[in-house]
C-alpha cells in the first residue's frame, strides 16, 4: 500500500473520503492538526507555545511539525501506508517531508487532490442540515441528500437544524484563499508526476468516490 497525501479545498469531503480509505485499506489517517491538538492537551511548555500559534491562525514552525511527524510515522501502524492530511501545506514543508521520508526509510507514495467546483462546495456548506437528535446529516440543496420530509430526519423523525458556520462571502474567501495557497504545491507534485486529481461532485455517493480512489490506488 502506498502512502497518500490528501489535499482538498474546504467542503470537498476530505473527512468522509479519508475515513473510507482508512477503513477500506486499514491504514491510519494522520492529520497534523490533530497531532498538534494532542500536543496542546499535554499542557507542556511546548504545548502552550503551539496553542498560541494555532490560535493566531498561523502555521506552526517546521521544526515542531517535522518532529511530531517523525514520532508518528515511525510507529508500527504506519509501516503499511498512511493517509496524510493537512501536510505539507507549502513547498518548504514538501521538501522537509522528503528529507524526513529519506531519514525514516519511507517513500512519498501518491498525492490525491480532490477537485470540487466552487458552487458545489458552497451548496454543500450552505445546504447542510443536521438532526438534533441522532446527528445524521442531510443537504437541502443537493437532490440525493435531501430529507424525505422537509426539516425532519429520515431516521428518527426529529427536527433538522442548519449548521451554517459560514455565510457565502466568508466561505468563498476561505475557498479562494485555499486555492491560491495550494497552487504552487499542486504544481510541485504535478511536476514530480505523483499527483492524481479526482473530481468530487455533489451527486456522487461515497461508494462512487471510493471506487474512483481505489482505481487510482491500484493503477499507480
Ligand atoms: P487543521 O486542523 O488542519 O485546520 O489545522 C489547525 C491549525 O494547526 C492550523 O491553523 C495551524 O496553526 C496548525 N497546523 C496544522 N497543520 C499544519 C502544518 N502542516 N504546518 C503548520 N501548521 C499546521
Amino acid at each position: 500500500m502506498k502512502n497518500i497525501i490528501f489535499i482538498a479545498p474546504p467542503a470537498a469531503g476530505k473527512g468522509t473520503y479519508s475515513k473510507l480509505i482508512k477503513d477500506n485499506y486499514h491504514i491510519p489517517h494522520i492529520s497534523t492538526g490533530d497531532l498538534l491538538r494532542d500536543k496542546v492537551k499535554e499542557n507542556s511548555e511546548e504545548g502552550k507555545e503551539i496553542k498560541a500559534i494555532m490560535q493566531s491562525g498561523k502555521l506552526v514552525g517546521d521544526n515542531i511539525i517535522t518532529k511530531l511527524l517523525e514520532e508518528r510515522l515511525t510507529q508500527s501502524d504506519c509501516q503499511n501506508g498512511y493517509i496524510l492530511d493537512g501536510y505539507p501545506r507549502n513547498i518548504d514543508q514538501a521538501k522537509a517531508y522528503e528529507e524526513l521520508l529519506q531519514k525514516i526509510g519511507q517513500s512519498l507514495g501518491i498525492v490525491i487532490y480532490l477537485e470540487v467546483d466552487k458552487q458545489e462546495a458552497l451548496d454543500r456548506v450552505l445546504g447542510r442540515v443536521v438532526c438534533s437528535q441522532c446527528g445524521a446529516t442531510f443537504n437541502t440543496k443537493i437532490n440525493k441528500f435531501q430529507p424525505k420530509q422537509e426539516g425532519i430526519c429520515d431516521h428518527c423523525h426529529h427536527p433538522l437544524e442548519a449548521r451554517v458556520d459560514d455565510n457565502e462571502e466568508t466561505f468563498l474567501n476561505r475557498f479562494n484563499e485555499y486555492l491560491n495557497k495550494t497552487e504552487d504545491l499542486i504544481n510541485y507534485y504535478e511536476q514530480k508526476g505523483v499527483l492524481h486529481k479526482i473530481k468530487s461532485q455533489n451527486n456522487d455517493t461515497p461508494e462512487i468516490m471510493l471506487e474512483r480512489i481505489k482505481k487510482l490506488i491500484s493503477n499507480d
Side-chain angles (χ1 to χ4, degrees):
M1 180 64 197
K2 296 230 158 43
N3 297 328
I4 298 171
I5 294 173
F6 210 173
I7 305 179
K14 189 171 57 171
T16 308
Y17 305 131
S18 301
K19 185 167 174 359
L20 282 176
I21 302 173
K22 174 184 162 177
D23 292 347
N24 196 73
Y25 290 98
H26 310 290
I27 56 174
H29 169 220
I30 298 165
S31 137
T32 43
D34 288 346
L35 290 181
L36 290 164
R37 279 182 283 274
D38 286 346
K39 200 75 196 166
V40 167
K41 277 190 211 139
E42 285 175 15
N43 220 7
S44 59
E45 276 311 306
E46 191 180 38
K48 286 180 193 154
E49 191 189 322
I50 293 172
K51 186 176 178 184
I53 300 171
M54 288 174 85
Q55 280 177 339
S56 74
K58 291 194 183 126
L59 289 185
V60 172
D62 282 354
N63 47 346
I64 294 178
I65 294 274
T66 316
K67 194 180 79 184
L68 282 180
L69 264 184
E70 178 171 355
E71 282 168 12
R72 183 65 189 91
L73 300 183
T74 46
Q75 287 171 17
S76 58
D77 63 336
C78 292
Q79 305 317 305
N80 244 336
Y82 53 81
I83 309 159
L84 199 51
D85 176 354
Y87 183 91
R89 274 195 162 55
N90 51 43
I91 294 184
D92 281 347
Q93 288 191 353
K95 291 188 173 156
Y97 180 51
E98 281 159 39
E99 280 176 27
L100 173 63
L101 289 171
Q102 220 168 23
K103 181 175 171 198
I104 64 176
Q106 283 273 15
S107 56
L108 183 60
I110 60 171
V111 180
I112 298 180
Y113 179 60
L114 211 51
E115 276 184 309
V116 63
D117 176 78
K118 202 184 288 182
Q119 183 59 46
E120 292 208 3
L122 187 62
D123 286 346
R124 277 182 204 196
V125 170
L126 299 187
R128 188 179 299 156
V129 283
V130 183
C131 175
S132 52
Q133 181 71 16
C134 74
T137 59
F138 298 87
N139 198 300
T140 58
K141 292 183 185 284
I142 305 170
N143 290 343
K144 259 208 168 85
F145 301 110
Q146 280 169 349
K148 291 195 181 87
Q149 194 185 339
E150 197 185 321
I152 303 290
C153 177
D154 288 3
H155 311 296
C156 69
H157 311 291
H158 281 83
L160 298 173
E161 291 168 350
R163 264 272 184 91
V164 189
D165 304 327
D166 279 317
N167 60 37
E168 180 165 343
E169 191 187 344
T170 51
F171 175 77
L172 289 177
N173 283 342
R174 206 149 64 85
F175 193 90
N176 289 334
E177 191 188 316
Y178 182 89
L179 293 189
N180 284 339
K181 275 196 182 154
T182 39
E183 195 181 2
D184 287 348
L185 191 64
I186 303 291
N187 291 338
Y188 178 79
Y189 284 129
E190 199 151 36
Q191 276 162 22
K192 274 187 172 286
V194 293
L195 187 80
H196 300 266
K197 293 183 183 174
I198 26 177
K199 280 212 157 60
S200 164
Q201 286 158 322
N202 279 351
N203 278 316
D204 291 338
T205 60
E207 292 73 28
I208 294 177
M209 286 300 292
L210 181 61
E211 281 316 307
R212 279 188 199 142
I213 293 169
K214 274 180 165 174
K215 227 179 244 163
L216 192 159
I217 291 173
S218 62
N219 281 347
D220 194 71

